[in-house]
Amino acid sequence: MITVENLSKTFPGKSSPVVALRDVSLDIDAGSLFGVVGPAASGKSTLARCLALQERPDRGVVRLDGVNTAALEGRRLREVRRQLAVVDPRTPLHAERTVAGNVAAPLERLGVAGPQRRSRVGTLLDLVGLTARATQQPTELTPGQRRRVEVARALAAAPAVLLADDPTGGVSPEEAGAVLTVLDRARAELGVTVVLATRDPGVVRRVCDGVAVLEQGTLVESGTVLGLLTDPGSAAARALLPAIDTPAAQVAGYDRVVDVVLVGFAAVGALLPEAATRFGVEVATIGGGLTRIGDTPVARFRLGLRGERADGAVAWVVEQGGRVTHQVRGPQAVVAA
């Protein structure tokens, strides 16, 4: 487990210090794929560097499996750092080496014997789907393929934690999915804890178990992705779920208008039609949309309901696990609790 306690970090500025992190505290479970999401200058890259022990915080502690990394020095610090690997697009591949040679470079520095080194390189190239590219030069690869080689290189020394700063930056949308799949495979097949920093909510939607939302160096919230999304007022829900924009004229004719978050195949596919049938009301989707969190479908809809039992239908949806925010519209409208 990674535990961050009251982490603060500032950098010198032209007229005054720039605060990158303000008292950030969070927990990251071992073996998870955890996303740190926020806009530019939110502090996510600084947090990633602090977790990788590349930056020392001004205050606060980073604990790795209970070990206070701030107290480490010398040999013990080097040993812990070897358990941490970083995928950073700003660290390019060696142009003069082949793909396999780039992945082997960290193993060569550690003095790993040739047969063992070749076996490890082969395993990692298979993991990232580039076995057929082993003898090519980095210049012969697409940006997405180069990023996957960077992931394989970072995994060469079998780290316990992999930190990826903007892993899909500079990669086309078509290739970004392959990069994220590789990070997910590293977690699933190698047992590596993966922490990725990104400004793209789509990255978190696709692969992350947990998420921390940063704004201007401050932790807005953190937790499991699905747990946060069931709170319609959460920052994660605002960032990750489909936006709702419904003209006032479109909702005027309904007895009740509500926003609802539904999680899972059964809820998304069957809950609303069953509510309509059970209570004899019309249920229309007038805004929002459907997305996926990993393999789980999640919907945020604006619903318009017509019928005398509209309130009962809404209450039943809540009983079945839907998270509903009531809107003050229509003759039956009341303010939600």
Side-chain angles (χ1 to χ4, degrees):
M1 168 166 302
I2 303 172
T3 304
V4 177
E5 300 173 358
N6 305 114
L7 211 66
S8 295
K9 179 68 179 179
T10 61
F11 295 98
K14 291 183 179 179
S15 57
S16 61
V18 176
V19 180
L21 297 173
R22 294 181 176 87
D23 294 316
V24 173
S25 297
L26 56 88
D27 295 322
I28 301 172
D29 291 335
S32 66
L33 205 164
F34 193 91
V36 181
V37 65
S42 61
K44 57 188 182 297
S45 293
T46 301
L47 177 59
R49 289 196 297 271
C50 288
L51 295 179
L53 307 185
Q54 295 177 334
E55 291 276 3
R56 281 192 174 272
D58 301 331
R59 296 181 303 280
V61 175
V62 175
R63 299 184 189 276
L64 300 176
D65 293 330
V67 175
N68 180 357
T69 60
L72 300 177
E73 295 181 352
R75 179 179 178 182
R76 181 61 178 141
L77 177 59
R78 291 191 295 273
E79 289 174 351
V80 171
R81 278 179 171 162
R82 279 198 290 270
Q83 294 300 306
L84 306 167
V86 178
V87 180
D88 189 342
R90 291 166 294 190
T91 305
L93 299 171
H94 298 291
E96 72 281 3
R97 281 178 168 257
T98 64
V99 166
N102 271 280
V103 178
L107 300 172
E108 293 172 2
R109 290 194 293 271
L110 292 173
V112 176
Q116 184 180 352
R117 187 171 67 242
R118 287 189 289 273
S119 175
R120 178 66 176 170
V121 169
T123 297
L124 292 173
L125 289 180
D126 179 66
L127 179 84
V128 302
L130 291 173
T131 300
R133 307 280 186 176
T135 60
Q136 292 185 319
Q137 306 296 128
T139 53
E140 299 177 81
L141 305 181
T142 66
Q145 290 169 337
R146 287 196 292 272
R147 188 63 42 80
R148 285 188 275 156
V149 176
E150 292 165 9
V151 173
R153 179 180 63 180
L155 292 169
V161 179
L162 179 69
L163 297 119
D165 188 7
D166 193 19
T168 57
V171 176
S172 70
E174 294 76 18
E175 290 194 295
V179 175
L180 297 177
T181 297
V182 165
L183 294 175
D184 196 27
R185 289 190 68 186
R187 179 268 301 268
E189 298 180 23
L190 303 180
V192 178
T193 301
V194 179
V195 181
L196 61 85
T198 181
R199 69 178 69 181
D200 181 1
V203 169
V204 176
R205 279 197 300 268
R206 176 153 183 165
V207 295
C208 291
D209 309 309
V211 63
V213 181
L214 291 181
E215 291 181 5
Q216 297 181 333
T218 300
L219 179 68
V220 176
E221 63 189 12
S222 66
T224 65
V225 175
L226 288 176
L228 291 173
L229 292 188
T230 57
D231 177 3
S234 75
R238 291 194 301 272
L240 301 178
L241 292 180
I244 295 177
D245 183 14
T246 307
Q250 190 173 352
V251 304
Y254 293 97
D255 297 317
R256 166 74 72 205
V257 174
V258 299
D259 292 347
V260 59
V261 176
L262 304 172
V263 178
F265 290 95
V268 171
L271 197 58
L272 299 182
E274 185 173 349
T277 301
R278 182 180 291 259
F279 291 88
V281 297
E282 176 189 344
V283 180
T285 301
I286 57 176
L290 178 67
T291 188
R292 283 182 177 271
I293 306 300
D295 293 327
T296 303
V298 179
R300 177 162 61 179
F301 293 139
R302 177 158 294 168
L303 304 177
L305 295 91
R306 290 193 186 98
E308 293 182 359
R309 302 180 68 192
D311 285 341
V314 170
W316 183 81
V317 168
V318 173
E319 291 174 1
Q320 303 307 309
R323 293 300 300 264
V324 171
T325 301
H326 293 247
Q327 306 294 315
V328 185
R329 304 194 193 280
Q332 296 189 45
V334 295
V335 178

